[in-house]
Amino acid sequence: MACRPVTTLFLMFFFLFTSSSASRILPSNSQKVSLGLYYESLCPYSANFIVNYLAQLFETDLISVVDLKLVPWGNAKLRGNDTFDCQHGPSECLLNTVEACAIHAWPELLELQYAAETNSLEPPHEYVPWVVVNGEPLYEDYENFVSYICKAYKGTAVLEGCSSVSLHTIQKGKTNPIHPDCFETGMLALTARITSAITSWMQQMNMVASLFLSIY
């Protein structure tokens, strides 16, 4: 489990490359569906959704009609003076910022932008991962996001990714929770172990970098 946040980061680089490639073959008469994912890097449920569910976009042609937006902020809190605390500690703040840089390829104060976007959500997010399709939150049904995309798509192209999906009737609003999420309060023991592992890995990388610099 400790490697999942790192896996998430590398998968995001793949997402960005694939998305830019797919956009070049988007049919001119189609309309993209917006898909927003509001998450935090050390939430195991966010990582699980990205690795095991969001990847479906790239296994078919769905990415060609989706405008994917990743917002790494989650349950972090602004402290003032452009500083902030993250739910799972400093390591998560660092990883969120690294992922923000990967998304925008520009390092200056990106997390503050994501703070504003997350805090302006209507209705407000209650936990992460928080998945939004065309401005509508999916609540606990976020793992079924492909069905929502297919229903929202208004283009004329026949999508392979939608033909294999059973589009059941979608009820708007909240459903009963069927799995745990990273809520704004509380901290899971599993997340604490992930944080500890990431911190240890970062310390080892710093030692390697210092050794390299001393040699050269």
Side-chain angles (χ1 to χ4, degrees):
M1 289 295 298
C3 66
R4 279 200 170 183
V6 179
T7 302
T8 300
L9 178 60
F10 281 97
L11 190 59
M12 287 174 59
F13 279 99
F14 170 72
F15 283 175
L16 294 171
F17 175 79
T18 307
S19 179
S20 62
S21 298
S23 64
R24 291 194 295 267
I25 60 174
L26 182 68
S28 58
N29 62 343
S30 66
Q31 298 179 3
K32 283 193 173 184
V33 177
S34 67
L35 175 64
L37 171 59
Y38 297 80
Y39 71 104
E40 53 197 19
S41 59
L42 289 183
C43 171
Y45 309 109
S46 294
N48 175 67
F49 175 74
I50 291 175
V51 173
N52 296 317
Y53 291 90
L54 194 62
Q56 297 176 44
L57 288 178
F58 306 95
E59 294 169 356
T60 62
D61 53 357
L62 282 175
I63 189 58
S64 67
V65 298
V66 170
D67 182 11
L68 176 61
K69 185 175 188 178
L70 304 174
V71 183
W73 177 259
N75 298 324
K77 301 295 184 183
L78 287 171
R79 288 189 302 175
N81 298 323
D82 292 345
T83 60
F84 47 89
D85 292 318
C86 294
Q87 183 179 13
H88 304 115
S91 296
E92 181 167 76
C93 286
L94 174 61
L95 288 174
N96 284 350
T97 302
V98 169
E99 293 183 12
C101 292
I103 294 170
H104 285 277
W106 188 257
E108 184 177 357
L109 296 177
L110 290 174
E111 276 299 271
L112 299 180
Q113 170 189 332
Y114 290 140
E117 291 183 19
T118 302
N119 292 336
S120 65
L121 281 170
E122 186 60 41
H125 86 287
E126 300 174 13
Y127 44 79
V128 289
W130 188 256
V131 182
V132 178
V133 173
N134 277 359
E136 294 292 329
L138 306 191
Y139 295 99
E140 287 85 2
D141 201 28
Y142 60 79
E143 291 178 353
N144 189 39
F145 74 99
V146 170
S147 293
Y148 289 84
I149 291 174
C150 293
K151 281 186 173 292
Y153 175 60
K154 304 303 181 183
T156 59
V158 178
L159 300 175
E160 176 188 352
C162 291
S163 63
S164 59
V165 175
S166 177
L167 299 179
H168 62 272
T169 301
I170 298 174
Q171 301 294 331
K172 288 189 175 181
K174 298 183 180 179
T175 59
N176 293 327
I178 58 175
H179 45 68
D181 307 283
C182 284
F183 285 83
E184 291 194 40
T185 59
M187 181 176 295
L188 301 174
L190 174 60
T191 301
R193 293 199 298 270
I194 294 177
T195 302
S196 177
I198 290 294
T199 301
S200 176
W201 175 79
M202 290 168 56
Q203 292 173 345
Q204 294 177 20
M205 292 300 100
N206 287 336
M207 292 176 60
V208 171
S210 298
L211 179 61
F212 179 82
L213 291 175
S214 66
I215 295 175
Y216 295 96

